[in-house]
Amino acid sequence: MSNAGGKPALKVALLGCGVVGSQVVRLLREQADDLAARVGAPLELAGVAVRRLGRKRDTEVDPALLTTDAEALVTRDDVDIVVEVIGGIEPARSLILAAMARGKSVVTANKALLAEDGATIHGAARDNGADLYFEASVAGAIPLLRPLRESLAGDRVRRVLGIVNGTTNYILDRMDSSGASFTEALEEAQALGYAEADPTADVEGFDAAAKAAILAGIAFHSRVTAADVHREGITEITAADVDSARGMGYVIKLLAICARSDDGRSIGVRVHPAMIPRSHPLAGVREAYNAVFVEAESAGRLMFYGAGAGGAPTASAVLGDIVAVARNRLAGTRGPEESTYADLKVHPMGDTVTRYHISVDVADKPGVLARVADIFAKHDVSIQTVLQEGRGDDAQLVLVTHRASDAALSATIEELRDLDIVRAVASVMRVEGDETP
Amino acid sequence: MSNAGGKPALKVALLGCGVVGSQVVRLLREQADDLAARVGAPLELAGVAVRRLGRKRDTEVDPALLTTDAEALVTRDDVDIVVEVIGGIEPARSLILAAMARGKSVVTANKALLAEDGATIHGAARDNGADLYFEASVAGAIPLLRPLRESLAGDRVRRVLGIVNGTTNYILDRMDSSGASFTEALEEAQALGYAEADPTADVEGFDAAAKAAILAGIAFHSRVTAADVHREGITEITAADVDSARGMGYVIKLLAICARSDDGRSIGVRVHPAMIPRSHPLAGVREAYNAVFVEAESAGRLMFYGAGAGGAPTASAVLGDIVAVARNRLAGTRGPEESTYADLKVHPMGDTVTRYHISVDVADKPGVLARVADIFAKHDVSIQTVLQEGRGDDAQLVLVTHRASDAALSATIEELRDLDIVRAVASVMRVEGDETP
């Protein structure tokens, strides 16, 4: 074993040896010399906690390192760094807390835990003076949390707009490029391993919502949990919606949006499908890639793009964090604590202001447009463009609004649905990333 | 003045109050409360060194803070952090060294100095235990150096491919979108303030070469200077080149490319115009924006996009660094030192391997293609596609090669030029970002 500068090795305990964990094991082994040079001391794998000892792994793991007793591993006196890649709330939370209580540094990829109970985890890090790094929890390999926490620490973030779920981006990209239905595209994603057998967490937006909560908390120096996030999935997107968006020069993406309100006093955090112009940098994000667009007062518009999931990319982010906490331990210091001083509240979805694309099937007779327009006006929703297309007895109205609150739009749609001349409100989709006021 | 946690203020000395410096002054004032909360202590502007006291500034500066004695300012006992935004080699270097000798933390945006004499600056930081941060030196507001130095510290970078000069990107984008000549596009860039009256540093690639040296050093943990960088500018790009690239589905960009050699034992660092496929994420980078594409073994393909220059964006990066060094001072620690342990050498341009697009005017008679192809074969340059187009007595041959060394390609071109049937080698352009082997 190499021994940079003669310093004793820092010992790493790994919790979980699945898709990500096995790549962490591989990289710790294959890049041992580089890591030692970069840290200033060797990194040594002290043990790997798994559920079952006999299971086949994606990489070779010394059987002597494997244990099913995670609790004993994280509390071992000789362990310096605990890496948690089990996921889920328990036992991950208890193990992380046990590790911090003994002064271990913690690296985790656990978005669900941080989004549901970040207060407990960050609080324990603070109380114990323990390092907590979690770059891999959002957008896989893309360096995103460190830039937000550190590079933009002297700036004021206005908005974060991201594609943070690769599965849904793959599905929507397939629907856009091939005309496939949601079901067909999902099946294809499952066949390729981009979607799980039970795709609920992805297609219903739960995964993206957890990431949105973490991003919003960091970007706005406030505490945000998954429960604060307005969430809509992509299961109701039809091939017709995608086609209609394409016809207007838009593409439908599942976006995580964290934005300061116009008065700067609250934030909105939401995950839902939205139409964005094809000229927007996020529109070009294909397949299962992720990208996050950040708008800050001084920096302007930034975008971070890369692989949002997968064993090796996620392990790259985990390794970067391991190097950081290892350097901190050697220097007797720690990284930035959770920053929640701004304490901004998340406003209700009804207060969110954006634009909308609405498709309404109406009876094709005189006065219909006037009556529809009246309802929009009554709720103070200003129409930017309207397109009417006859279809025999019926007609289709496609309206795009100026910026309006979600509450006003909802009230408008409700009243439209009750109108005798309206056959159906065929679709309502938010329009984002288009700065026309 | 706010006083977070009751800690005494950290005092900041600013060297230079031009486009970037005046924005730093403004942001330190306007965001004082946020900065104090994020740092854990207030930041106080201790003085601003300028060349002339009376000059009009972009922001209000307390006249009592202005001084023409920069040396006295950086050595003042009460100064904690020195921010250098003068640019150029001297007096910037002497001032930074004087500051470090007294244990000040240094934040600089000075790409020229770091690329020309980084060894001296980094050495002084190490010897004095001083912090040195320089995010603003490359790609303005885009968080790039911190991700490379820290987030990817557990990964192995293969290649960095970037658009790091906004002026030339604006010019090439205008040529591509409007069919303008280089001269017309340059004049437009000058009228809009994107290009300086003397545009040499930008259009001849000096600015990009300095940034490439800094990027290569960080990405490959080695020491690289501006003199190591192969550099070609964009002044010879014609409207016809741009048009021909467009016809083939390519766009011409000025790229900074830092790449590990195939055997991993050396690196190539170069700045030159190149054709990239329109489907490549860098192809969509418009106007004066910057973007850097990073390929790493585990993380895969990452891209960082944003404003590469300008007062406020550059100041955002400077402020992020100020917050970092301020936090470090409070914690009694410092950021990562220069990492040059890998000590890879920069190989000569002739050893660089890439693909080429070559346009040759030839006599239109039988046997021409065979004779041209023979010369390519003789130098082991394999042709991927060839297109011959008759033009009366003459014909144009457009060839795209497989990967070949720059030396082999140069020898091929030289021999082609001597061929009696060759009227002229109209253009030779490297092709990048296209992974076809």
Side-chain angles (χ1 to χ4, degrees), chain A residues 98-437:
Chain A
M100 286 178 171
R102 304 206 168 213
K104 318 298 188 196
S105 305
V106 171
V107 172
T108 176
N110 196 327
K111 57 188 170 281
L113 175 58
L114 290 168
E116 181 166 316
D117 196 15
T120 300
I121 305 297
H122 286 289
R126 189 182 55 245
D127 294 346
N128 294 292
D131 243 349
L132 172 65
Y133 277 67
F134 48 102
E135 182 67 66
S137 65
V138 181
I142 309 174
L144 181 62
L145 304 190
R146 182 175 277 105
L148 276 174
R149 281 171 103 179
E150 304 182 36
S151 307
L152 289 168
D155 207 330
R156 203 172 275 156
V157 174
R158 282 204 186 114
R159 190 157 72 134
V160 177
L161 194 72
I163 295 168
V164 294
N165 179 275
T167 305
T168 47
N169 199 59
Y170 183 85
I171 291 170
L172 292 171
D173 184 37
R174 287 303 297 160
M175 291 175 73
D176 181 58
S177 60
S178 75
S181 71
F182 169 76
T183 309
E184 289 162 350
L186 170 61
E187 280 167 5
E188 198 180 319
Q190 285 170 321
L192 289 165
Y194 287 137
E196 309 203 24
D198 175 0
T200 311
D202 293 317
V203 299
E204 295 292 0
F206 290 100
D207 173 86
K211 292 165 177 170
I214 295 170
L215 284 173
I218 292 175
F220 300 113
H221 300 270
S222 299
R223 183 158 288 143
V224 180
T225 71
D228 297 323
V229 183
H230 174 87
R231 179 190 50 74
E232 298 170 30
I234 64 163
T235 54
E236 284 169 29
I237 306 289
T238 65
D241 291 334
V242 171
D243 191 55
S244 155
R246 190 190 305 110
M248 296 176 61
Y250 286 79
V251 58
I252 297 174
K253 296 287 191 187
L254 181 70
L255 297 182
I257 304 175
C258 319
R260 215 181 266 274
S261 61
D262 290 352
D263 67 6
R265 295 201 187 139
S266 65
I267 48 180
V269 191
R270 49 198 168 108
V271 166
H272 55 69
M275 287 169 52
I276 57 172
R278 285 202 182 258
S279 58
H280 193 281
L282 287 178
V285 177
R286 305 288 309 271
E287 303 184 340
Y289 276 94
N290 280 197
V292 177
F293 202 74
V294 177
E295 293 172 29
E297 276 184 25
S298 299
R301 310 170 89 193
L302 302 170
M303 191 172 80
F304 304 82
Y305 166 96
T314 308
S316 169
V318 168
L319 264 287
D321 279 355
I322 292 175
V323 169
V325 300
R327 283 174 175 166
N328 288 348
R329 280 189 92 85
L330 288 183
T333 180
R334 50 190 294 246
E337 277 183 26
E338 186 192 24
S339 172
T340 57
Y341 75 90
D343 200 23
L344 296 174
K345 299 300 169 216
V346 176
H347 57 239
M349 187 61 189
D351 292 356
T352 293
V353 174
T354 188
R355 297 168 62 232
Y356 306 85
H357 171 274
I358 303 138
S359 172
V360 191
D361 298 333
V362 294
D364 195 359
K365 50 186 179 188
V368 166
L369 182 56
R371 289 182 62 196
V372 166
D374 261 355
I375 292 176
F376 278 82
K378 178 178 156 195
H379 293 283
D380 253 347
V381 178
S382 169
I383 294 169
Q384 187 191 359
T385 62
V386 59
L387 187 79
Q388 176 161 359
E389 200 176 313
R391 295 173 170 181
D393 284 349
D394 288 0
Q396 189 186 37
L397 282 182
V398 175
L399 305 108
V400 178
T401 73
H402 284 293
R403 295 181 83 223
S405 76
D406 211 79
L409 196 279
S410 296
T412 308
I413 299 299
E414 208 163 306
E415 199 165 333
L416 276 182
R417 286 207 165 106
D418 288 344
L419 213 59
D420 57 348
I421 49 153
V422 168
R423 308 260 199 257
V425 176
S427 83
V428 180
M429 182 92 59
R430 298 183 187 87
V431 180
E432 305 285 346
D434 185 341
E435 299 315 297
T436 319

Side-chain angles (χ1 to χ4, degrees), chain B residues 372-437:
Chain B
V372 167
D374 260 357
I375 292 176
F376 278 82
K378 179 178 157 193
H379 293 283
D380 252 347
V381 178
S382 169
I383 295 169
Q384 188 192 359
T385 61
V386 59
L387 187 79
Q388 177 161 0
E389 200 176 315
R391 296 171 167 183
D393 284 350
D394 288 0
Q396 189 186 39
L397 283 182
V398 175
L399 304 107
V400 178
T401 74
H402 285 290
R403 296 182 82 222
S405 77
D406 211 79
L409 196 277
S410 297
T412 307
I413 298 300
E414 210 163 303
E415 199 165 334
L416 277 182
R417 286 206 164 105
D418 288 344
L419 214 58
D420 57 349
I421 49 153
V422 168
R423 309 262 197 254
V425 177
S427 82
V428 180
M429 182 90 60
R430 297 181 188 89
V431 180
E432 305 286 345
D434 185 340
E435 299 315 298
T436 320

Side-chain angles (χ1 to χ4, degrees), chain B residues 127-311:
Chain B
D127 294 347
N128 294 291
D131 241 349
L132 172 65
Y133 276 68
F134 47 102
E135 182 67 66
S137 65
V138 181
I142 309 174
L144 181 62
L145 304 190
R146 183 174 276 105
L148 276 175
R149 278 170 105 181
E150 304 182 37
S151 307
L152 289 169
D155 207 330
R156 202 172 275 158
V157 174
R158 282 203 185 116
R159 190 157 71 133
V160 178
L161 194 73
I163 295 169
V164 295
N165 179 274
T167 306
T168 48
N169 199 60
Y170 184 85
I171 292 170
L172 292 171
D173 184 36
R174 287 303 296 160
M175 291 176 72
D176 180 58
S177 60
S178 76
S181 71
F182 169 76
T183 309
E184 289 162 349
L186 171 60
E187 280 166 5
E188 197 180 320
Q190 285 171 322
L192 289 166
Y194 287 138
E196 309 202 23
D198 175 359
T200 310
D202 293 316
V203 300
E204 295 293 359
F206 290 100
D207 173 85
K211 292 165 178 170
I214 295 171
L215 284 174
I218 292 175
F220 300 114
H221 300 269
S222 299
R223 183 159 287 143
V224 179
T225 72
D228 296 324
V229 183
H230 173 87
R231 179 190 50 75
E232 297 170 31
I234 65 163
T235 55
E236 285 169 29
I237 306 288
T238 65
D241 292 333
V242 171
D243 191 56
S244 154
R246 190 189 308 108
M248 296 175 60
Y250 287 79
V251 59
I252 297 175
K253 296 288 189 187
L254 181 70
L255 297 182
I257 304 174
C258 319
R260 213 182 268 274
S261 62
D262 289 352
D263 67 5
R265 295 201 187 139
S266 65
I267 48 181
V269 191
R270 49 197 167 107
V271 166
H272 55 70
M275 287 168 53
I276 56 172
R278 284 202 183 259
S279 58
H280 193 281
L282 287 177
V285 178
R286 306 288 309 271
E287 304 184 340
Y289 276 94
N290 280 198
V292 177
F293 202 75
V294 177
E295 293 172 25
E297 277 185 23
S298 299
R301 310 170 90 196
L302 301 170
M303 191 172 79
F304 304 81
Y305 167 97

